[in-house]
């Protein structure tokens, strides 16, 4: 561990030890100090000092004695998942969703409200502030135990400048979130929604199997979050992963971004429902509704579906060729129905080609479904505590 000046400082070593112990306890839940010392390779006196501090911070507690193999019985140290909380906010078309999570990424509170216009962002933030206040009162959570509020935003996000630079589907650009700090009164974090989802998938996977992954967020639009060696790849101008706007049809449909034939105009869930209505004159109210109709062997629904899946596969093939990841995760509400489509999608993606075979990478549905981006947003303040 090195400081900015390049020298190893006492503080960086201290933080490194503390975080190693805390991360271990997060996974193992209960351990004796002896076992913590063995598993981390940190000396017993240093473990004891760190545990003392973590107890003072309220993050762990002493939880009785373990059985002894001789001599004094060792004290068990237990991790406290409700020691801190964090809020996640997801702003999507026509809706804001607010959740409260604990240190286990478990959703404790979940509520949404509709939004007519994002041009009145101050009003949206005021409403979120009142929800946050109400939740803290209702759950009797003192403000000191709240780590912050993370926002998942559908557009180009500059998290350093705290700026939503462009969100074509919300019809807004250059919205500064630093000024909202005053209204929300907690540390604020912002992230692109597909990036946030990728963060959630990466950090809630206890196996930590995939260090190189691409998360494809299929919602009103299509966004992707790219993780390389366990870190988000944002790109120089923070526009990396805009695969939703790669051209899949030359001179195709007009996109909100100003270009023609973008992938999201052929692979978003909105388009699936719109195409079904265009082809049949019937309306599927939701994905649930659409997949119910599909199951009834409705030939028109089948045709719309196969066309949709062809385009979804085409974009995935391009991503595989561009990034060669260990794993591609497909998220958004459509992932809830993966039992219906995953095998068929794989057949379309892994058609015979000179570059890749099915065994070269995993194509998986999101484990967190529609919660991935909001949990990722709420995790932004939590990750600060653990790193
Ligand atoms: Zn576009």
């Amino acid at each position: 561990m090195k400081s900015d000046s390049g020298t190893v400082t006492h503080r960086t070593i201290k933080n490194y030890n503390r975080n190693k112990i805390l991360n271990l306890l997060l996974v193992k839940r209960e351990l004796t100090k002896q076992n913590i010392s063995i598993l981390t390779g940190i000396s017993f006196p240093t473990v004891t000092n760190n545990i003392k501090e973590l107890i003072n911070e309220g993050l762990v507690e002493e939880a009785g004695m373990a059985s002894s193999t001789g001599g004094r019985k060792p004290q068990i140290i237990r991790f406290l998942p409700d020691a801190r909380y964090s809020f996640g906010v997801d702003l999507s078309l026509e809706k804001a969703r607010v959740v409260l999570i604990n240190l286990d990424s478990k959703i404790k509170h979940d509520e949404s409200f509709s939004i007519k216009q994002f041009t009145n962002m101050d009003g949206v933030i005021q409403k979120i502030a009142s929800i946050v206040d109400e939740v803290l009162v209702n759950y009797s959570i003192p403000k000191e135990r709240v780590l912050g509020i993370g926002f998942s935003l559908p557009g180009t996000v500059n998290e350093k400048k705290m700026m939503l630079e462009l969100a074509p589907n919300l019809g807004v650009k250059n919205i500064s979130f630093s000024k909202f700090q005053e209204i929300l009164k907690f540390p604020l974090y912002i992230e692109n929604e597909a990036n946030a989802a990728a963060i959630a998938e990466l950090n809630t996977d206890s196996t930590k199997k995939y260090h190189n992954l691409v998360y494809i967020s299929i919602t009103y639009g299509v966004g992707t979050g790219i993780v390389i060696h366990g870190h988000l790849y944002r790109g120089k101008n923070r526009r990396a992963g805009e695969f939703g706007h790669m051209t899949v049809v030359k001179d195709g449909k007009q996109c909100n971004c100003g270009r023609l034939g973008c992938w999201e105009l052929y692979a978003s869930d909105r388009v699936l429902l719109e195409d079904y209505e265009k082809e049949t004159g019937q309306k599927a109210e939701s994905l649930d509704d659409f997949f119910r109709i599909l199951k009834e062997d409705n030939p028109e629904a089948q045709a719309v579906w196969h066309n949709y899946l062809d385009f979804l596969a085409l974009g995935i093939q391009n991503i595989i060729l561009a990034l060669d990841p260990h794993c591609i995760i497909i998220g958004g509400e459509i992932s809830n129905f993966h039992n219906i489509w995953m095998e068929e999608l794989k057949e379309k993606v892994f058609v015979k080609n000179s570059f890749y075979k099915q065994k070269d990478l995993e194509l998986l549905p999101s484990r967190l479904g529609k919660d991935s981006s909001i949990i990722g947003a709420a995790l932004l303040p939590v990750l600060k505590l653990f790193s």
Side-chain angles (χ1 to χ4, degrees):
M1 294 298 284
K2 291 197 172 170
S3 71
D4 291 343
S5 61
T7 51
V8 177
T9 65
H10 178 65
R11 176 161 290 280
T12 50
I13 293 173
K14 198 163 175 270
N15 277 343
Y16 177 76
N17 287 337
R18 173 196 183 274
N19 294 336
K20 206 168 175 185
I21 294 167
L22 193 55
N23 277 290
L24 179 70
L25 278 163
L26 169 72
V27 178
K28 302 281 186 190
R29 320 305 289 191
E30 290 186 4
L31 285 169
T32 64
K33 285 181 239 175
Q34 284 82 351
N35 280 336
I36 294 170
S37 175
I38 292 163
L39 291 169
T40 57
I42 299 169
S43 74
F44 187 78
T46 306
V47 168
T48 302
N49 283 336
N50 275 284
I51 292 296
K52 214 183 283 172
E53 282 180 24
L54 291 172
I55 289 173
N56 285 339
E57 289 178 56
L59 291 166
V60 303
E61 66 179 3
E62 288 177 338
M65 301 293 182
S67 55
S68 166
T69 48
R72 253 175 69 188
K73 285 184 178 173
Q75 179 75 245
I76 296 170
I77 306 300
R78 179 193 290 152
F79 178 72
L80 295 170
D82 289 324
R84 298 287 188 279
Y85 295 92
S86 172
F87 283 95
V89 179
D90 185 50
L91 298 185
S92 56
L93 197 78
E94 298 170 346
K95 206 175 92 174
R97 183 178 170 206
V98 182
V99 301
L100 174 77
I101 66 162
N102 70 358
L103 296 177
D104 276 341
S105 306
K106 198 166 158 206
I107 294 178
K108 297 279 185 170
H109 182 83
D110 190 346
E111 85 176 82
S112 298
F113 62 94
S114 60
I115 296 171
K116 293 250 161 26
Q117 275 202 337
F118 277 93
T119 36
N120 176 20
M121 195 59 100
D122 281 33
V124 173
I125 299 294
Q126 292 282 5
K127 173 85 179 150
I128 292 166
S130 68
I131 289 176
V132 166
D133 284 346
E134 237 176 72
V135 168
L136 295 184
V137 170
N138 290 346
Y139 290 78
S140 308
I141 297 172
K143 287 195 164 75
E144 310 79 72
R145 280 166 63 186
V146 178
L147 297 168
I149 304 174
F151 280 80
S152 156
L153 304 169
T156 307
V157 171
N158 188 324
E159 83 293 346
K160 288 244 163 70
K161 291 185 181 161
M162 289 300 284
M163 185 79 93
L164 172 59
E165 292 180 340
L166 182 67
N169 288 335
L170 299 188
V172 296
K173 59 179 174 184
N174 294 329
I175 293 187
S176 165
F177 274 70
S178 0
K179 64 173 183 170
F180 300 143
Q181 189 94 43
E182 235 169 78
I183 305 172
L184 290 165
K185 300 186 192 80
F186 289 105
L188 294 192
Y189 301 78
I190 59 173
E191 189 52 88
N192 164 273
E193 60 104 14
N195 282 352
I199 289 171
E201 296 286 344
L202 184 74
N203 287 288
T204 59
D205 176 12
S206 55
T207 65
K208 302 272 178 230
K209 211 164 127 195
Y210 303 110
H211 293 276
N212 299 307
L213 67 87
V214 178
Y215 178 94
I216 303 176
S217 165
I218 298 174
T219 57
Y220 185 82
V222 175
T224 60
I226 303 167
V227 172
I228 297 175
H229 294 310
H231 296 283
L232 269 185
Y233 178 71
R234 290 193 172 88
K236 175 174 176 273
N237 298 294
R238 294 179 160 69
R239 289 195 289 263
E242 284 293 359
F243 283 109
H245 296 277
M246 69 181 156
T247 307
V248 291
V249 178
K250 184 177 178 293
D251 300 328
K253 295 188 225 175
Q254 175 72 53
C255 183
N256 283 340
C257 76
R259 291 161 52 83
L260 299 174
C262 296
W263 188 34
E264 73 169 28
L265 301 177
Y266 302 85
S268 67
D269 58 18
R270 155 188 56 136
V271 167
L272 177 62
L273 299 186
E274 279 174 5
D275 282 357
Y276 175 72
E277 193 177 348
K278 228 182 283 163
E279 290 302 314
T280 63
Q282 316 270 322
K283 213 173 158 72
E285 294 295 338
S286 59
L287 285 180
D288 214 12
D289 209 12
F290 176 80
F291 283 109
R292 186 185 48 75
I293 298 164
L294 193 68
K295 262 193 192 158
E296 290 164 359
D297 281 331
N298 176 321
E300 287 164 316
Q302 295 281 353
V304 168
W305 173 245
H306 290 301
N307 185 52
Y308 171 85
L309 218 52
D310 282 340
F311 275 110
L312 185 58
L314 175 65
I316 292 172
Q317 289 169 333
N318 287 341
I319 292 171
I320 295 172
L321 289 171
L323 294 166
D324 187 18
H326 287 152
C327 160
I328 292 182
I329 299 171
I330 298 176
E333 201 190 335
I334 204 161
S335 66
N336 296 347
F337 304 92
H338 66 92
N339 286 335
I340 300 172
W341 51 258
M342 187 53 100
E343 283 314 307
E344 197 181 342
L345 177 68
K346 281 182 181 169
E347 279 170 27
K348 287 181 189 280
V349 169
F350 298 108
V351 285
K352 200 167 167 18
N353 70 90
S354 329
F355 295 101
Y356 58 86
K357 298 185 190 65
Q358 187 159 348
K359 67 169 179 47
D360 293 343
L361 75 150
E362 295 254 30
L363 197 56
L364 300 169
S366 160
R367 280 178 299 107
L368 302 166
K370 67 177 175 48
D371 295 333
S372 51
S373 48
I374 202 162
I375 286 181
L379 270 173
L380 298 170
V382 176
L383 292 173
K384 280 260 167 197
L385 183 76
F386 286 91
S387 63

